């Protein structure tokens, strides 16, 4: 028997900590709640994703005057008691939420109304699904019009708009943990999580007006993701028990997914960036669905191989598969239909990447106004990040968090009134900004050094390294003191160390204890320069591999750590700085000893295990998030294998998610891998025009929930238009 499958992934036992105060007024920098933990979803969010079946009344004609502002709450939405107990919010917070009340009538933007009047598009009642997604905005019902101005850095910067567009079939609430309805209005699972049923909204339309239904999912499944020319290897999330998931359409609105083994994590993954949709992943042939009515004209399964290749060659492509991937890449191909609030009208390959409202979007506000509120999104190509930040300082952007340089915060504050903007921090809760991931497989393979590896795999060695770091200095120099000094397990009491959380002692600067540990494990000899020697007489040298021009100054941070270890511990080190793609390739080939990178918040440790797991042979733990972690499919030895086994259990059994999530993070803390430096620095320093309404405050940052998508930007609006 089918039953509702609730996937509210509430991270338990987090403790709320106080505000981090900075020398800014409330207007200059908004930080309404604690900065260590994630914000909660509004209490009315539907964690099950099931919206009630309802048929809207006939769409009303848009009123001539602009709609008045209707407050959705007098002050703000408060976190629920459960949310606050879980550390996901404190006091009054302002979030959007899904509503289970269907508006009695519907209206549309003047832009879409004009197109309908001109006969360019159907009337509104023929464009909305029977059961639209109803969103209650964070602050108020908005007014139509205006343009969202921002900047991008080139064709590789697709996430710039993929994040706010959230083209997922399901999606998370603002708190990043509750799975909610989106394109699909509901879902169910059988008792053992081997059969899943997704129900699409009836009457959905692509941005070109064509019907969206299960044909588009099955086309993707039958002709794209399982076609080796397009997708040589299906994504790991599509496999369970070593077998590919099977998809079948029960009717135009009902999709069934079957797994050979229990797959309790599937619904969560469908809502996350791991799966996403074609706007996010279409350029690689992924994304769960595709515009079948558009792509069929170019696919050899439909028109034959010769004709498909001929069309590709005529368009300047080597073969049909490469052409198909371009056609399915809406960022680069404005002709590709979309399911998002805005659609691309100028490609990401141009100097101005532009989007305009999608008049077929399936979302409305609680007053029945079709979203989005803003008409257009325009992104100007920035010559470099310095130019982008100078434009932000000058107030040229409506909302911009991506690529904003935190080190320029004093300049932003100084110019906020002149530029007519406010500053808001979007933090990734319980996240490490520049973690040091020790490769515990360094002894394996051609590049391994067995003697050195014996220390890298020694917990006491890693603990000593951690206690030899002056984290306050890193925080001040690189993050203006806005980060926090703590460990990944802050708030989780250590039963073996009363009054402290798990791993707390390891993140304290304590060179005396660190040196005593190093002496005790056989590193008690030093050379003439005071650097420690291994038992063989060879100097121990830890090589830090970092990516240059990444999100943080890993080169600078690790250089500082190297000097700290030399000074306080007698551990020598050297820096290995590489271009990002070369660095990641060497890491994946087990050619790096220590890697520096960020970690997503601990709430996403199982959704995206490669963001928090420790490094091992071939890269991060749970490589590929698959069942096989060795060539023979077995788990690794020791605590790394325990981590992997807990992941596999949570993947199979959704009820194990929350307890196993806590256990895997505790393993990281207990075994001091990764070694954290600074925690919870604002991931984005968002520059927001003062008249922009409905931006959630606070807005927790997440990769798996694609911030700012979890802030529902289709509900953001301009009070008084562009200023």
């Amino acid at each position: 028997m089918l039953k509702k499958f609730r996937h509210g992934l509430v991270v338990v036992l987090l403790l709320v900590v106080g505000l981090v105060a900075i020398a800014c007024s409330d207007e200059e920098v908004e930080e309404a709640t604690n900065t260590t933990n994630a914000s909660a979803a509004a209490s009315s969010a539907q964690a099950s994703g099931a919206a009630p079946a309802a048929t809207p009344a006939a769409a009303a004609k848009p009123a001539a005057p602009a709609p008045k502002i209707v407050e959705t709450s007098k002050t703000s939405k408060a976190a629920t008691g459960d949310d606050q107990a879980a550390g996901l919010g404190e006091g009054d917070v302002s979030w959007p939420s899904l509503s289970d009340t269907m508006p009695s009538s519907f209206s549309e933007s003047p832009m879409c109304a004009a197109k309908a009047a001109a006969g360019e598009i159907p009337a509104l009642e023929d464009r909305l699904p029977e059961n639209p997604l109803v969103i209650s905005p964070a602050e108020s019902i908005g007014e139509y019009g205006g343009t969202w101005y921002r900047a991008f850095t080139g064709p590789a910067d697709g996430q710039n708009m993929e994040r706010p567009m959230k083209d997922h079939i399901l999606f998370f609430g603002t708190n990043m943990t509750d799975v909610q309805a989106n394109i699909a209005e509901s879902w169910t699972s059988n008792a053992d999580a081997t059969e899943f049923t997704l129900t699409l909204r009836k009457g959905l339309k692509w941005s070109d007006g064509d019907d969206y239904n299960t044909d588009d999912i099955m086309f993707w499944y039958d002709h794209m993701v399982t076609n080796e020319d397009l997708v040589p290897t299906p994504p790991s999330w599509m496999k369970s028990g070593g077998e590919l998931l099977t998809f079948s359409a029960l009717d135009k609105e009902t999709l069934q997914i079957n797994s050979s083994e229990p797959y309790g994590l599937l619904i969560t993954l469908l809502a996350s960036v791991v799966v996403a949709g074609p706007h996010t992943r279409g350029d690689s042939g992924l994304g769960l669905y595709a515009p079948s009515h558009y792509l069929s004209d170019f696919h050899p399964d439909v028109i034959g191989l010769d004709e498909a290749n001929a069309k590709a060659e005529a368009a300047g492509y080597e073969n049909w598969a490469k052409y198909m991937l371009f056609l399915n890449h809406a960022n680069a191909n404005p002709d590709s239909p979309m399911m998002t609030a805005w659609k691309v009208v100028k490609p990401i390959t141009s100097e101005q990447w532009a989007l305009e409202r999608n008049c077929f979007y399936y979302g409305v506000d609680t007053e029945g106004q079709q979203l989005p509120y803003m008409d257009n999104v325009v992104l100007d190509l920035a010559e470099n990040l310095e130019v982008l930040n100078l434009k932000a300082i000058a107030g040229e952007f409506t909302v911009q968090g991506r690529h904003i340089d935190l080190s320029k915060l004093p300049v932003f504050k100084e110019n906020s009134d002149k530029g007519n903007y406010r500053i808001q921090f979007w933090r990734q809760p319980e996240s490490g900004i520049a973690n040091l991931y020790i490769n515990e497989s360094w002894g394996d393979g051609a590049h391994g050094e067995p003697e050195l590896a014996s220390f890298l795999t020694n917990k006491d060695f890693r603990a000593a390294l951690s206690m030899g770091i002056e984290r306050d200095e890193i925080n001040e120099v690189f993050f203006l003191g806005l980060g926090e000094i703590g460990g990944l397990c802050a708030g989780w009491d250590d039963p073996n160390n009363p009054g402290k959380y798990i791993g707390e002692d390891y993140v304290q600067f304590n060179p005396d204890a660190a040196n005593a540990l190093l002496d005790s494990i056989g590193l008690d000899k030093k050379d003439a320069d005071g650097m420690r020697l291994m038992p063989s007489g060879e100097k121990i040298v830890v090589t830090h591999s970092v990516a240059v021009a990444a999100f943080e100054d890993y080169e600078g941070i690790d250089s500082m750590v190297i000097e700290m270890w030399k000074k306080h511990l007698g551990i020598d080190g050297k820096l290995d700085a590489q271009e990002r793609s070369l660095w990641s390739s060497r890491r994946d080939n087990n050619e790096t000893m220590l890697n520096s990178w960020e970690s997503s918040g601990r709430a996403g440790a199982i959704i995206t295990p490669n963001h928090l797991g420790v490094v091992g042979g071939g890269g991060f733990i749970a490589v590929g998030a698959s069942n096989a972690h060795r060539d023979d499919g077995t788990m690794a030895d020791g605590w790394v294998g325990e981590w992997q086994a807990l992941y596999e259990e949570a993947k199979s059994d959704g009820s194990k998610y929350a307890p196993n999530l806590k256990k895997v993070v505790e393993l990281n803390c207990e075994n001091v891998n990764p070694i954290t430096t600074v925690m919870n620095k604002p991931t984005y320093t968002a520059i927001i025009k003062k008249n922009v309404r409905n931006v959630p405050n606070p807005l927790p940052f997440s990769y798996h929930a694609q911030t700012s998508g979890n802030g529902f930007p289709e509900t953001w609006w301009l009070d008084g238009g562009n200023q």
Side-chain angles (χ1 to χ4, degrees), residues 236-251:
S236 58
W237 71 263
M238 288 192 68
K239 296 179 181 178
S240 178
E243 297 181 15
L244 204 64
L245 300 176
T246 59
F247 284 47
S248 56
L250 304 185
D251 55 44

Side-chain angles (χ1 to χ4, degrees), residues 637-696:
D637 295 324
W639 77 272
V640 175
E642 185 180 353
W643 203 109
Q644 293 169 336
L646 287 165
Y647 166 82
E648 294 296 343
E649 184 179 50
K651 180 180 177 183
S652 299
D653 184 352
S655 69
K656 300 292 187 181
Y657 182 92
N660 284 21
L661 170 64
K662 188 170 186 291
K663 290 176 183 177
V664 296
V665 179
E666 286 176 348
L667 283 171
N668 289 119
C669 297
E670 291 166 355
N671 290 278
V672 205
N673 206 353
I675 297 170
T676 59
T677 55
V678 177
M679 298 284 292
N680 306 320
K681 180 224 72 170
T683 306
Y684 279 2
T685 301
I687 306 304
I688 306 170
K689 282 290 187 180
K690 292 183 179 180
N691 69 323
V692 178
R693 302 289 177 250
N694 287 340
V695 178

Side-chain angles (χ1 to χ4, degrees), residues 542-559:
V542 178
T543 301
H544 295 235
S545 293
V546 301
V548 297
F551 290 106
E552 306 295 348
D553 183 7
Y554 297 116
E555 192 172 2
I557 293 169
D558 279 58
S559 294

Side-chain angles (χ1 to χ4, degrees), residues 84-97:
Q84 293 186 34
L88 297 173
E90 182 178 21
D92 286 343
V93 291
S94 178
W95 292 290
S97 61

Side-chain angles (χ1 to χ4, degrees), residues 118-317:
E120 298 175 15
I121 57 175
L124 179 60
E125 60 263 31
D126 296 322
R127 303 197 312 267
L128 286 176
E130 291 186 5
N131 184 26
L133 179 73
V134 182
I135 305 173
S136 178
E139 300 173 69
S140 64
I141 297 297
E143 297 178 352
Y144 286 123
T147 297
W148 178 359
Y149 291 103
R150 52 192 289 119
F152 75 116
T153 60
D157 197 19
Q159 277 273 281
N160 202 311
M161 280 307 296
E162 290 162 4
R163 285 174 170 270
M165 300 275 269
K166 55 183 181 62
D167 59 344
H168 308 45
I169 198 162
L170 301 171
F171 197 64
F172 289 101
T174 302
N175 71 337
M176 313 175 300
T177 59
D178 294 331
V179 175
Q180 300 182 158
N182 197 38
I183 292 174
E185 66 179 18
S186 64
W187 66 88
T188 59
S189 168
N190 65 353
D192 62 357
T194 58
E195 183 174 287
F196 304 85
T197 304
L198 293 164
T199 302
L200 306 178
R201 301 176 190 280
K202 188 174 183 178
L204 287 165
K205 304 288 184 182
W206 288 93
S207 58
D208 62 358
D210 205 275
D211 292 340
Y212 174 98
N213 52 50
T214 53
D215 291 347
D216 301 298
I217 300 175
M218 294 309 301
F219 178 85
W220 173 82
Y221 181 80
D222 291 332
H223 304 291
M224 295 185 69
V225 74
T226 54
N227 186 301
E228 293 183 357
D229 291 329
L230 282 174
V231 183
T233 304
S236 58
W237 71 263
M238 288 192 68
K239 296 179 181 178
S240 178
E243 297 181 15
L244 204 64
L245 300 176
T246 59
F247 284 47
S248 56
L250 304 185
D251 55 44
K252 293 294 187 181
E253 283 78 44
T254 312
L255 178 79
Q256 184 171 294
I257 303 176
N258 289 91
S259 169
S260 63
E261 291 187 354
Y263 197 172
L265 194 59
L266 178 61
I267 293 297
T268 299
L269 294 177
L270 292 179
S272 77
V273 69
V274 173
V275 179
H279 180 233
T280 304
R281 301 206 174 273
D283 57 338
S284 56
L286 305 179
L288 191 69
Y289 62 90
S292 59
H293 67 286
Y294 173 65
L295 296 178
S296 293
D297 289 340
F298 306 93
H299 200 294
D301 290 353
V302 179
I303 63 174
L305 182 60
D306 290 342
E307 185 177 352
N309 279 329
K311 286 187 175 183
E313 292 170 9
Y317 288 84

Side-chain angles (χ1 to χ4, degrees), residues 267-583:
I267 293 297
T268 299
L269 294 177
L270 292 179
S272 77
V273 69
V274 173
V275 179
H279 180 233
T280 304
R281 301 206 174 273
D283 57 338
S284 56
L286 305 179
L288 191 69
Y289 62 90
S292 59
H293 67 286
Y294 173 65
L295 296 178
S296 293
D297 289 340
F298 306 93
H299 200 294
D301 290 353
V302 179
I303 63 174
L305 182 60
D306 290 342
E307 185 177 352
N309 279 329
K311 286 187 175 183
E313 292 170 9
Y317 288 84
E318 182 180 344
N319 55 54
W320 74 268
K322 291 184 177 180
Y323 189 34
M324 178 73 67
L325 293 177
F326 163 74
L327 293 170
N328 196 42
H329 185 198
N331 284 336
N333 174 28
D335 290 335
S336 183
M338 303 178 70
M339 289 297 295
T340 49
W342 295 275
K343 62 179 183 179
V344 175
V345 292
K346 289 184 180 179
I348 195 173
T349 50
S350 61
E351 292 191 357
Q352 190 178 75
W353 182 18
L355 305 92
E356 70 176 25
R357 70 166 58 253
N358 173 12
C359 292
F360 293 89
Y361 186 57
Y362 52 85
V364 300
D365 65 22
T366 49
E367 294 292 305
Q369 294 186 121
Q370 186 186 32
L371 298 169
Y373 290 132
M374 286 188 277
D375 289 330
N376 304 289
V377 185
V378 173
L379 301 93
D380 287 323
L381 179 65
E383 299 172 19
N384 53 57
L385 293 182
E386 186 65 22
V387 170
L388 186 152
N389 277 269
L390 288 174
K391 290 184 176 182
I393 290 168
E396 295 186 19
F397 302 145
T398 311
V399 181
Q400 179 91 22
R402 191 172 176 87
H403 305 307
I404 297 299
D405 185 353
L406 176 65
S407 70
K408 292 180 170 58
L409 180 61
V411 183
F412 279 115
K413 288 164 55 182
E414 182 180 350
N415 288 274
S416 61
D417 286 337
K418 183 178 179 181
N420 192 34
Y421 57 78
R422 64 188 190 268
I423 304 165
Q424 188 185 78
F425 291 145
W426 296 349
R427 295 180 185 264
Q428 189 165 220
E430 302 303 350
S431 62
I433 302 307
N435 297 332
L436 307 175
Y437 292 86
I438 306 279
N439 182 359
E440 299 209 22
S441 296
W442 183 242
D444 302 333
H447 301 277
E449 301 173 55
E451 186 179 23
L452 177 54
S454 70
F455 292 101
L456 296 176
T457 57
N458 188 315
K459 171 188 169 181
D460 288 340
F461 178 72
R462 297 191 299 269
L465 294 182
S466 184
M467 291 187 289
I469 299 174
E470 296 174 271
R471 291 168 171 81
D472 284 325
E473 185 174 345
I474 296 174
N475 190 23
E476 291 297 329
V477 171
F478 293 97
F479 306 118
L480 303 181
L482 293 173
E484 297 172 358
I485 307 306
L488 292 167
C489 290
W492 290 346
D493 292 339
D494 186 346
N496 300 315
N497 197 356
K500 296 188 177 182
Y501 60 79
I502 298 170
E504 183 172 356
D505 287 339
Y506 301 139
V507 296
Q508 308 304 313
F509 178 57
N510 191 345
D512 290 340
N515 281 294
L517 276 178
L518 293 173
D519 289 343
S520 72
I521 61 174
L523 291 173
D524 53 340
K525 303 294 191 298
K526 297 181 180 180
D527 64 13
D529 296 321
M531 296 297 102
R532 292 184 182 268
L533 304 175
M534 294 184 289
S536 66
E538 291 290 323
K539 182 172 65 173
I540 187 166
V541 180
V542 178
T543 301
H544 295 235
S545 293
V546 301
V548 297
F551 290 106
E552 306 295 348
D553 183 7
Y554 297 116
E555 192 172 2
I557 293 169
D558 279 58
S559 294
M560 181 177 283
V561 171
I562 289 171
E563 293 306 312
M564 290 175 179
W565 286 351
K566 286 181 179 180
K567 176 182 178 181
H568 301 302
L569 306 178
I571 296 292
D572 203 357
K574 64 180 181 181
L575 189 70
D576 172 32
Q578 302 284 347
E579 182 273 329
R580 180 174 175 178
S581 62
L582 178 59
W583 164 76

